[in-house]
Amino acid sequence: MNNIRNFCIIAHIDHGKSTLADRLLEYTKTVEGKDLQAQVLDNMDLERERGITIKSHAIQMEYMYQSEKYILNLIDTPGHVDFSYEVSRSIAACEGALLIVDAAQGIQAQTISNLYMAIENDLEIIPVINKIDLPSAMPDEVEDQIVELLGCDRKSILRASGKTGEGVLDILEAIVTRIAPPVGDPEAPLQCLIFDSVFNSFRGIIAYFKVVNGVIKKNDLVKFVSTGCEYEADEVGVLKLNMSPRNEVRTGDVGYIISGIKTSKEVKVGDTITHVKRPCDKAIEGFEEVKPMVFAGVYPIESEDFENLRASLEKLQLNDASLTFQPESSAALGFGFRCGFLGLLHMEIIQERLDREFNMNVITTVPNVSYKVYDKKGGCVEVHNPSGLPEPTLIDHIDEPYIRASVITNTAYIGAIMTLCLSKRGILIKQEYISGDRIEIHYDMPLGEIVIDFYDKLKSISKGYASFDYHLIDFRPSKLVKLDILLNAEPVDALSTLTHVDNAVAFGRRMCEKLKELIPRQQFDIAIQAAIGAKIIARETVKAVRKDVTAKCYGGDISRKRKLLEKQKEGKKRMKQIGTVEVPQKAFLAVLKLD
């Protein structure tokens, strides 16, 4: 056990984690020859296309140091804030972390929030300045930032380049010498922490775990503590580039178990595995529950695909524990699911994965939150989407959820961030300096205002230097109205939103303009209107595609042309009565990108 090291790589998005992981795998000869490609651990097509890591990946390396063999378990983690839950799970399975900072960009928000997560779990931090081969690199300034943030010794900061391989051997040496071996008792009852799981259509559900105490052997009878289900371990092993079976996985090691589990509800990330005959006293302290930020309806395009969609979402949830969902229905779209996501990028990725991995074509509605609606008799109903609102004449008042938001940022961006929070109906509670030029601002804000684009705007105005956290505090009365979008006088319930009275007219106008760009032209005019109750507040028209029926008339009397045009007009009128307007998927997401 003294020769095992478990560590993860944490950094802000695009600071070169995956490239550095490639070099570590190459130098330890874990991956050789034709398997050696850029971003070895990013095995999803989506990850390669977008150049981001979405899933954390575990892999085992062997390294000879001073003629002794060491086993290094590396977990490469995502850098985008929408996948921070992945990072928290990886950190729980490690004893150390490589903190990677880009020599050209310096320390950024995600670096800091991931670092705090690692420090809370008492991990040994090895700071590494990456990309020192860039012409724009400024390693000395970045070194000053790291010293100020961590309070560490300058000599302990390593300099490396994932591209050229410079400094990689120093990193491997630091992992062996600085990170402590895992602590645990091989003789104690078995305790394994599940930190991830995947679905394999041939083998059932495969759970990845870290052995905290005891030893797990092939064919052992094991029990999952939180569900109480018992299984036989058909196969256990460690994670090389592919799964590599072993007869046993010992304390401190990271491995996988295949036990023919068919239903996804039986495996929970953060659960503990123990032996049936000699169980452990208590489960390992798991992870905190995930807080979805954005709720949106996901509906199958073909209504008979409802059950397939449920199965697909369950399988996705295994692989991405931050996704939550429950069934709901809508007048225009039929049956579907109300899903909770960590952010808009997360929502986009889930939609892409449903399409690619499960061939599910889905429509996603406008993201929103849940409200409490009080009627004039004093009754209260909880409304999740605007189509569930009672008639306006029956409503006494609506309460919306408020959050306490804390934004940590650089003092240079305070003005812009305060303007943004006030435009989202925020109430300033307090502000305090943390250190040097870093400040924490606390606001009370309506959850509905931050759902759509608050986070993206915060990131762009602060150049990525602001980190944001929130918790729900209470529900407060608020003047909200339901904004309907009508196409040819037919309401489209998937596009309706609840919005504050002051923003309604401007929002309706922008919606109509955006939809005009996105809805394809038909053979007849399409009227796009925004309405509050019976009052129309904005209108745009998508002009019809017309055939030039007068092309064959040259010269002669004008009445010949007029006759042809009248005939065409009649046809268009008839077509409008029976024609339906196809609303493309982009239009449902248009609301998110209104600015």
Side-chain angles (χ1 to χ4, degrees):
M1 223 173 84
N2 290 335
N3 289 12
I4 294 178
R5 301 285 183 274
N6 297 322
F7 69 101
C8 59
I9 302 185
I10 54 176
H12 190 85
I13 187 167
D14 209 20
H15 280 207
K17 297 175 297 297
S18 300
T19 314
L20 200 66
D22 290 350
R23 291 294 83 75
L24 293 173
L25 296 175
E26 187 186 340
Y27 279 52
T28 54
K29 299 193 169 49
T30 310
V31 179
E32 292 182 289
K34 67 177 193 312
D35 290 333
L36 197 65
Q37 49 174 347
Q39 281 98 31
V40 176
L41 295 179
D42 292 351
N43 50 18
M44 231 188 281
D45 292 342
L46 257 179
E47 294 180 311
R48 296 182 161 280
E49 281 166 29
R50 292 179 176 235
I52 54 177
T53 307
I54 295 169
K55 286 289 305 160
S56 49
H57 299 275
I59 191 165
Q60 190 177 86
M61 307 182 277
E62 288 174 5
Y63 176 59
M64 294 297 286
Y65 177 68
Q66 293 179 347
S67 66
E68 256 191 87
K69 189 168 91 168
Y70 287 86
I71 288 177
L72 313 180
N73 289 314
L74 152 72
I75 302 181
D76 178 27
T77 62
H80 195 283
V81 63
D82 277 12
F83 308 110
S84 55
Y85 188 62
E86 287 285 325
V87 183
S88 71
R89 288 156 37 182
S90 309
I91 286 175
C94 295
E95 280 81 37
L98 293 182
L99 177 74
I100 305 230
V101 184
D102 188 324
Q105 297 179 47
I107 283 177
Q108 296 192 319
Q110 218 36 46
T111 319
I112 295 168
S113 55
N114 286 344
L115 175 70
Y116 287 155
M117 236 189 282
I119 291 174
E120 275 168 28
N121 282 308
D122 297 330
L123 299 197
E124 175 64 39
I125 309 286
I126 301 176
V128 178
I129 299 178
N130 192 19
K131 303 193 188 180
I132 54 167
D133 58 312
L134 288 181
S136 59
M138 33 175 209
D140 297 333
E141 287 92 326
V142 176
E143 205 167 84
D144 294 341
Q145 292 178 11
I146 294 176
V147 169
E148 192 178 320
L149 180 72
L150 277 173
C152 62
D153 186 21
R154 271 182 192 280
K155 295 192 185 77
S156 70
I157 301 174
L158 305 174
R159 295 186 180 190
S161 162
K163 199 174 189 177
T164 61
E166 187 186 335
V168 172
L169 290 170
D170 299 341
I171 295 176
L172 285 165
E173 190 179 314
I175 291 166
V176 170
T177 51
R178 293 198 218 168
I179 296 176
V183 287
D185 182 359
E187 303 303 318
L190 177 70
Q191 260 187 327
C192 306
L193 175 72
I194 299 178
F195 65 86
D196 204 354
S197 56
V198 292
F199 178 79
N200 181 313
S201 46
F202 303 107
R203 321 266 333 240
I205 290 159
I206 304 169
Y208 297 159
F209 60 81
K210 177 194 175 185
V211 186
V212 180
N213 290 314
V215 177
I216 184 168
K217 296 182 178 161
K218 192 178 172 177
N219 300 331
D220 275 356
L221 199 60
V222 294
K223 180 171 98 175
F224 286 36
V225 176
S226 80
T227 56
C229 300
E230 297 179 5
Y231 306 100
E232 189 175 311
D234 299 336
E235 186 182 304
V236 295
V238 295
L239 299 153
K240 293 286 179 120
L241 188 57
N242 297 313
M243 291 184 293
S244 160
R246 295 278 191 273
N247 285 328
E248 60 178 32
V249 180
R250 305 189 63 81
T251 310
D253 222 336
V254 172
Y256 68 91
I257 176 171
I258 299 177
S259 48
I261 305 171
K262 298 285 186 295
T263 50
S264 49
K265 290 190 183 70
E266 294 173 28
V267 179
K268 286 192 169 62
V269 168
D271 196 1
T272 306
I273 305 176
T274 186
H275 279 134
V276 173
K277 287 180 182 154
R278 191 174 157 223
C280 54
D281 315 334
K282 63 179 196 311
I284 305 164
E285 294 297 315
F287 311 108
E288 72 281 5
E289 273 297 298
V290 58
K291 290 183 295 198
M293 292 233 189
V294 176
F295 294 93
V298 172
Y299 293 87
I301 287 181
E302 302 294 334
S303 52
E304 58 266 24
D305 284 345
F306 176 71
E307 282 305 324
N308 295 349
L309 180 61
R310 183 196 296 271
S312 307
L313 283 169
E314 279 177 359
K315 286 171 191 166
L316 256 187
Q317 199 175 27
L318 273 178
N319 198 246
D320 182 352
S322 47
L323 169 72
T324 58
F325 64 92
Q326 65 202 52
E328 71 158 7
S329 64
S330 132
L333 300 169
F335 291 101
F337 293 93
R338 182 130 209 92
C339 299
F341 307 98
L342 293 183
L344 291 185
L345 177 69
H346 187 211
M347 176 167 137
E348 233 174 277
I349 295 291
I350 292 287
Q351 207 177 321
E352 279 272 300
R353 288 184 69 186
L354 279 171
D355 183 24
R356 291 181 182 206
E357 294 171 29
F358 303 100
N359 287 329
M360 291 300 310
N361 268 336
V362 294
I363 286 181
T364 317
T365 63
V366 178
N368 56 15
V369 296
S370 54
Y371 298 91
K372 287 185 174 166
V373 180
Y374 290 87
D375 58 26
K376 292 186 170 155
K377 295 176 184 163
C380 168
V381 287
E382 197 165 288
V383 173
H384 288 287
N385 56 359
S387 57
L389 264 191
E391 285 298 310
T393 49
L394 305 175
I395 297 173
D396 182 49
H397 67 277
I398 302 176
D399 283 6
E400 65 175 334
Y402 264 72
I403 55 159
R404 172 69 49 87
S406 81
V407 178
I408 299 176
T409 179
N410 200 308
T411 44
Y413 307 111
I414 292 181
I417 288 175
M418 285 188 157
T419 312
L420 172 69
C421 292
L422 288 171
S423 73
K424 299 285 184 189
R425 317 202 320 264
I427 304 158
L428 180 65
I429 303 299
K430 62 174 178 183
Q431 54 184 37
E432 50 199 10
Y433 283 87
I434 306 172
S435 68
D437 57 353
R438 292 175 57 68
I439 187 168
E440 183 168 13
I441 318 173
H442 294 269
Y443 268 92
D444 279 3
M445 294 165 76
L447 182 58
E449 291 281 347
I450 68 157
V451 153
I452 293 185
D453 55 359
F454 176 77
Y455 206 57
D456 300 349
K457 282 186 178 166
L458 180 71
K459 281 282 178 237
S460 55
I461 61 176
S462 66
K463 300 193 177 133
Y465 273 97
S467 48
F468 167 72
D469 190 34
Y470 78 98
H471 58 269
L472 207 61
I473 40 176
D474 55 8
F475 280 78
R476 301 181 187 176
S478 163
K479 288 178 103 174
L480 297 168
V481 289
K482 180 183 173 189
L483 181 74
D484 284 314
I485 299 291
L486 314 173
L487 295 180
N488 281 346
E490 289 288 320
V492 182
D493 74 340
L495 285 173
S496 56
T497 46
L498 272 177
T499 178
H500 196 263
V501 170
D502 303 345
N503 309 339
V505 177
F507 186 70
R509 202 163 288 152
R510 294 214 314 270
M511 271 289 280
C512 289
E513 283 163 12
K514 191 78 183 176
L515 288 170
K516 184 183 176 181
E517 291 167 26
L518 292 170
I519 289 177
R521 289 170 71 181
Q522 307 279 353
Q523 295 279 351
F524 49 88
D525 283 3
I526 303 169
I528 304 169
Q529 295 167 310
I532 297 174
K535 183 183 171 194
I536 304 291
I537 54 169
R539 169 179 172 135
E540 293 284 337
T541 309
V542 179
K543 282 292 179 205
V545 186
R546 307 189 79 110
K547 180 179 167 189
D548 188 2
V549 287
T550 59
K552 61 183 184 209
C553 294
Y554 49 91
D557 189 42
I558 186 71
S559 61
R560 289 174 62 199
K561 287 188 180 178
R562 199 163 285 145
K563 184 176 152 195
L564 289 168
L565 286 169
E566 288 299 327
K567 195 173 163 191
Q568 185 187 31
K569 203 170 174 183
E570 284 302 311
K572 296 280 181 205
K573 203 185 263 175
R574 217 167 38 246
M575 200 182 270
K576 185 171 182 172
Q577 286 163 1
I578 57 166
T580 54
V581 184
E582 282 283 309
V583 184
Q585 168 64 43
K586 281 194 200 124
F588 291 107
L589 298 176
V591 193
L592 319 183
K593 306 198 172 75
L594 275 183
D595 301 313

